[in-house]
Amino acid sequence: MKLKTLIIDGEKPSRDNLQAILVDYFDEVIVIGHAENVESGIAMITQLSPDLIFLDMEMGVSTG
């Protein structure tokens, strides 16, 4: 079984780097989406029901 994973981070290079690490080293993880802010992250969580979320703790004026 693969863990459906969502990455929420305000910086695209950070999202891309984390996805590359996950794809290269963790066969049990599948990245199902990226979000760049809290609002879109909440919407994607609701829509996609991920098993695992990588969440940036500070995104602009919002926090994880």
Side-chain angles (χ1 to χ4, degrees):
M1 179 180 127
K2 298 235 180 198
L3 291 172
K4 298 183 303 180
T5 304
L6 178 62
I7 299 171
I8 305 172
D9 193 307
E11 299 177 11
K12 184 172 178 3
S14 296
R15 294 190 308 266
D16 293 344
N17 288 336
L18 179 54
Q19 179 166 343
I21 291 167
L22 293 171
V23 168
D24 288 347
Y25 295 101
F26 299 95
D27 293 333
E28 63 275 8
V29 170
I30 182 169
V31 178
I32 59 171
H34 291 195
E36 63 184 28
N37 56 50
V38 173
E39 294 79 19
S40 62
I42 291 169
M44 291 186 83
I45 291 168
T46 302
Q47 179 185 25
L48 300 174
S49 299
D51 301 310
L52 178 64
I53 300 169
F54 286 90
L55 177 61
D56 187 4
M57 294 307 295
E58 291 185 25
M59 290 179 280
V61 296
S62 299
T63 64

